[in-house]
Amino acid sequence: MRFNRREFVLTSSSALAAGVFGPSMLFAQQPAPAAPPTVPVFTPLRRNVGIFSARGGTMGWLITPDAVLVVDSQFADTSQMFLDGMKSRTQRKFDLLLNTHHHPDHTGGNKVLRPSVTKIVAHQNAPALQRKQAAAQKTEDNQAYADETFTDTWKATVGDEVVSAKYYGAGHTSGDAVFFFERANIVHMGDLMSHQRHPRVDRPSGASIRNWLVSLERVVKDHNADTIYIFGHAKVGAPVTGSGKDLLTLRDYFSSMLDYVQKGISAGRSAEEILKGNVPGFADSEGMPQLQVAYDELTAKA
Ligand SMILES: [Zn+2]
């Protein structure tokens, strides 16, 4: 599994904060910066749809008198914060939990939410990827998987809202779903959208930069100028929602990335030399660009 540097630091420091490592481990480590306190925040967006932020991928929610729906579950501890915060907002059991993809900062709370949820839905490739990931991380006992999966599209009436899902092919992984609240005109992008932050490209899980780039353009074409997009992640302090323009900026990022790496390959430069660079035009983004992944994709035999 490839993690960018920031994700690794966050994981390590939260593990420390959670007391996962024993005292001897603590002394053996470099002094880690104190993890920022996790503050759970519910933010309404439009027409009963909103977001929940604590730690990990941005969650989405729909709360109506007749139906409650959740998108993603972050981690076990933050999904408990979500449950606690929901108590004052609804008494209903959640009709649906939708997973945008299998990564642990999006499905890590599935098991905590499971008793409160009637059905979990994800793309058909997501459960197998989640199982593989759980085996690798020895977290099999902490998982809950989708009860229902879809191949290309999926749709449900949820209270007075209509929610649909679409698969745009390989992108951040090979099992990313884009969820659309049709009446609210809000799209949850999961990690297909990373705002001002170098996105993680999970090639071992079937990611494709080339198709991700095309997908972003297709998503924007499928919606309109008034659509609000929810982003899986953003640079610290930057908004986790935005417009189609932001999606096209990420498309340009990938285009610039592939172009930069391909030029290096064509000029006969070594991988090492190419990987020292940054994505032209995106040096201000948070984290590290995954140029190695771009290199691997561009040099892979078909
Ligand atoms: Zn992810």
Side-chain angles (χ1 to χ4, degrees):
M1 289 272 158
R2 288 185 173 90
F3 288 92
N4 70 33
R5 192 171 295 169
R6 182 172 172 78
E7 278 169 330
F8 177 73
V9 169
L10 280 175
T11 308
S12 310
S13 52
S14 20
L16 282 171
V20 169
F21 300 126
S24 58
M25 282 290 288
L26 277 173
F27 286 115
Q29 302 275 318
Q30 289 289 318
T38 300
V39 183
V41 183
F42 285 81
T43 310
L45 294 176
R46 185 157 66 196
R47 211 181 179 278
N48 308 316
V49 177
I51 53 171
F52 173 80
S53 306
R55 200 180 77 257
T58 313
M59 285 168 64
W61 47 259
L62 166 78
I63 306 169
T64 73
D66 309 317
V68 174
L69 174 161
V70 188
V71 183
D72 284 344
S73 62
Q74 295 194 340
F75 298 103
D77 61 336
T78 55
S79 61
Q80 187 56 55
M81 291 175 182
F82 176 77
L83 281 180
D84 294 343
M86 285 295 273
K87 279 178 196 153
S88 61
R89 291 172 166 86
T90 180
Q91 304 305 312
R92 269 190 77 87
K93 186 170 182 178
F94 307 163
D95 299 76
L96 289 164
L97 164 59
L98 311 176
N99 282 151
T100 59
H101 65 297
H102 73 284
H103 282 152
D105 57 328
H106 297 260
T107 61
N110 276 14
K111 192 179 174 183
V112 173
L113 298 187
R114 177 79 267 188
S116 313
V117 167
T118 303
K119 188 161 74 177
I120 306 178
V121 178
H123 181 259
Q124 69 166 2
N125 292 341
L129 290 167
Q130 192 184 337
R131 282 194 169 83
K132 198 173 141 199
Q133 169 183 269
Q137 300 180 348
K138 308 220 179 308
T139 54
E140 290 104 323
D141 293 345
N142 303 325
Q143 305 300 317
Y145 299 98
D147 312 291
E148 185 179 319
T149 61
F150 71 95
T151 312
D152 300 314
T153 57
W154 171 93
K155 198 171 197 155
T157 300
V158 188
D160 69 348
E161 180 58 271
V162 176
V163 182
S164 57
K166 189 164 170 180
Y167 181 59
Y168 287 86
H172 172 66
T173 69
S174 58
D176 303 286
V178 171
F179 293 109
F180 180 33
F181 297 90
E182 298 189 0
R183 292 189 179 142
N185 194 9
I186 295 175
V187 173
H188 197 308
M189 292 295 291
D191 282 2
L192 286 173
M193 185 57 204
S194 176
H195 184 50
Q196 294 174 18
R197 175 179 163 167
H198 292 289
R200 177 181 171 200
V201 183
D202 189 354
R203 190 165 158 79
S205 295
S208 163
I209 298 174
R210 278 179 282 208
N211 192 61
W212 189 342
L213 183 161
V214 174
S215 303
L216 289 163
E217 210 166 271
R218 287 177 59 207
V219 171
V220 172
K221 278 191 189 134
D222 281 348
H223 301 96
N224 61 35
D226 194 38
T227 307
I228 297 172
Y229 294 88
I230 300 170
F231 312 151
H233 299 278
K235 182 176 180 168
V236 171
V240 289
T241 60
S243 69
K245 227 180 120 192
D246 298 314
L247 271 66
L248 296 180
T249 301
L250 186 63
R251 172 201 62 183
D252 295 343
Y253 166 93
F254 284 128
S255 173
S256 178
M257 182 188 218
L258 291 178
D259 194 47
Y260 163 75
V261 175
Q262 186 56 58
K263 273 187 184 143
I265 294 167
S266 304
R269 290 166 61 205
S270 70
E272 199 192 359
E273 223 179 318
I274 296 169
L275 301 185
K276 272 187 214 152
N278 206 322
V279 179
F282 293 89
D284 290 343
S285 292
E286 183 181 271
M288 300 288 288
Q290 290 192 285
L291 296 175
Q292 176 75 57
V293 184
Y295 183 89
D296 291 347
E297 184 173 324
L298 288 169
T299 55
K301 291 183 182 77

